[in-house]
Amino acid sequence: MITAAAVESAYSFFHQKARVYAGSHIPSQRDDIEYAIAQYLELMSCELYAKISGGKPNFLKDHATFGQDIELAVRRLDEMMQGE
């Protein structure tokens, strides 16, 4: 079961990291954000991860697609909070 608190927590964390990531042009800062998200994913409920990943393999874990993935994760979490 995915709790509202888990969704809100993930949204807050991902939203903040996505904004910094999008505005950063410093490779090491972007790498640090990717690492922080990877650490968060280890603690995240498997059910919530499956929901936001939409079944995409390596969602939020692939350097090449991380920017698109984090934006999609934020959008999906926002939709979950809105009850969509």
Side-chain angles (χ1 to χ4, degrees):
M1 178 176 165
I2 301 172
T3 66
V7 173
E8 291 170 8
S9 177
Y11 175 82
S12 295
F13 186 73
F14 286 18
H15 184 266
Q16 187 267 339
K17 297 299 183 199
R19 298 292 64 88
V20 175
Y21 189 89
S24 177
H25 300 290
I26 304 167
S28 62
Q29 184 179 39
R30 287 179 148 221
D31 289 344
D32 288 346
I33 291 169
E34 290 181 39
Y35 179 76
I37 294 293
Q39 294 299 304
Y40 190 92
L41 294 177
E42 289 184 17
L43 303 173
M44 177 185 272
S45 117
C46 294
E47 189 177 2
L48 180 55
Y49 178 77
K51 181 115 176 154
I52 65 169
S53 72
K56 179 182 175 188
N58 295 320
F59 186 73
L60 293 169
K61 299 175 184 176
D62 184 343
H63 179 74
T65 59
F66 183 84
Q68 295 111 344
D69 289 351
I70 190 72
E71 292 297 328
L72 182 57
V74 169
R75 190 167 52 251
R76 287 181 174 160
L77 289 162
D78 184 48
E79 289 169 358
M80 291 175 73
M81 288 191 314
Q82 303 303 318
E84 297 177 11

